[in-house]
Amino acid sequence: MHVLQRGQAPQKPLLLRPLFGGVQRIGMRSETTTTLRDAGRSKPGPVMPGVQMVMAVEVLRVLPDGSARYRFTLEEVDLLVAARTPVRTMEAARAQLSPLPGLKGEGQVAPNGRSSGFEWKLPADLPAPVRGQMQQMAGMLKDLGTFLPAEPVGVGARWEEQAAGSGALTGANTRVELRSLDGQSVGLRLQMETPRTPQPVPASLRPPPGEKGEASMHTEAKGHGGCLLSLDRLWPVRLEMDVESHVAVRAGTPDAPKRFDGFTTSRLQVRELSFTPPRLRATRTV
């Protein structure tokens, strides 16, 4: 984390102070569209349904250093089906999602919002494809941090964070601006970009052994969005992020060159559906 500008006075430390026993219910929507460009001609890529989920996060304990241990429960999962989505694709995706509601995991978050780990408690008989998807989701949940600065800041402050990332988000650099600060409420503007990064080329695109040719693939991405935090919560109250990624493939032989580009637009939306403070929960259970 590198603070570029500390902003206006008064400046204060931005630290999460989660409430032991508090439960936050979150709704998340993720949608993706793809365009392919080959020989200068563009066409829509494969239509994939988006996903919407409802999740509950309960603070299990708050440690002396301010870190919070939490339990995560995936309550609901469903598809956001686009008009051109093939029926078989939709049915296959729904079949893969069917074991997911009710799954639980645990993680830990530091006061600056950084996750120090998230692990699912997956049943032993979970199918391998679904298990792989859940491990990918665990990585996403681990990275869905509220990247808060390490020093006191005021409105107008700017800082940046570089993460390892993977795939199109390798080496992502996120620049954050503090747009508003009112009590526990923190409003942030987010801008993200990655450098042009080489990626492994699939074997099917490489020239046959012994033939001259090339095989290269690069990715880059840019994104922007906004985030509203409440410092007594672990997850954002509201978050929107649009990411545009570009994959450029240059492969094949001089007689059979392969030159194509893929452009993917992903939109992530997070909304807090409800928050139950510990005192209110205790009252309801009497």
Side-chain angles (χ1 to χ4, degrees):
M1 177 64 65
H2 176 55
V3 175
L4 304 173
Q5 182 177 329
R6 296 187 59 176
Q8 306 171 12
Q11 297 170 350
K12 59 179 288 187
L14 301 182
L15 297 173
L16 298 180
R17 299 179 179 86
L19 302 175
F20 165 69
V23 178
Q24 189 180 13
R25 293 182 71 249
I26 301 288
M28 178 185 293
R29 294 166 60 100
S30 176
E31 301 175 87
T32 299
T33 57
T34 301
T35 301
L36 303 177
R37 184 179 297 164
D38 188 0
R41 296 182 179 180
S42 297
K43 63 178 181 180
V47 178
M48 297 300 295
V51 177
Q52 58 183 0
M53 300 181 286
V54 176
M55 305 162 287
V57 181
E58 179 182 3
V59 179
L60 299 177
R61 67 170 83 76
V62 179
L63 304 178
D65 66 355
S67 298
R69 188 77 185 170
Y70 67 90
R71 178 187 294 121
F72 175 97
T73 303
L74 187 56
E75 295 185 342
E76 301 175 20
V77 186
D78 201 0
L79 297 178
L80 299 169
V81 182
R84 296 185 295 113
T85 305
V87 174
R88 289 185 179 179
T89 300
M90 180 182 65
E91 292 176 346
R94 280 212 163 102
Q96 288 188 334
L97 295 176
S98 60
L100 303 186
L103 290 183
K104 298 181 183 296
E106 289 192 7
Q108 187 166 311
V109 177
N112 58 11
R114 284 156 185 77
S115 173
S116 56
F118 178 86
E119 294 182 358
W120 288 110
K121 296 184 176 180
L122 301 177
D125 58 349
L126 194 67
V130 179
R131 182 176 295 273
Q133 289 181 351
M134 298 310 294
Q135 297 302 339
Q136 291 180 356
M137 183 183 292
M140 180 190 71
L141 296 175
K142 180 179 177 181
D143 293 337
L144 190 62
T146 55
F147 299 112
L148 299 177
E151 56 189 85
V153 293
V155 174
R158 293 182 295 114
W159 60 93
E160 60 184 8
E161 167 82 8
Q162 187 164 10
S166 61
L169 299 183
T170 299
N173 185 76
T174 302
R175 182 166 291 191
V176 186
E177 180 182 352
L178 179 58
R179 301 300 304 273
S180 64
L181 179 58
D182 182 12
Q184 298 285 330
S185 182
V186 178
L188 305 176
R189 181 169 66 181
L190 310 172
Q191 290 183 307
M192 182 273 293
E193 63 179 329
T194 67
R196 191 169 183 266
T197 306
Q199 301 290 346
V201 179
S204 60
L205 297 178
R206 299 172 189 162
E211 290 193 28
K212 293 183 178 180
E214 62 175 331
S216 68
M217 184 167 70
H218 292 82
T219 60
E220 56 188 339
K222 290 185 177 181
H224 66 276
C227 180
L228 180 65
L229 310 175
S230 182
L231 296 178
D232 60 354
R233 316 280 212 272
L234 290 182
W235 278 28
V237 174
R238 185 169 69 247
L239 180 146
E240 292 187 2
M241 193 75 182
D242 292 339
V243 178
E244 296 182 356
S245 58
H246 173 210
V247 178
V249 176
R250 305 292 182 262
T253 64
D255 295 332
K258 299 177 181 179
R259 307 283 190 274
F260 59 89
D261 299 85
F263 301 89
T264 301
T265 300
S266 302
R267 163 163 280 196
L268 175 67
Q269 294 179 307
V270 174
R271 294 287 187 275
E272 181 180 87
L273 304 178
S274 65
F275 177 70
T276 309
R279 187 174 301 173
L280 183 56
R281 291 180 65 230
T283 301
R284 289 179 174 176
T285 58
V286 171

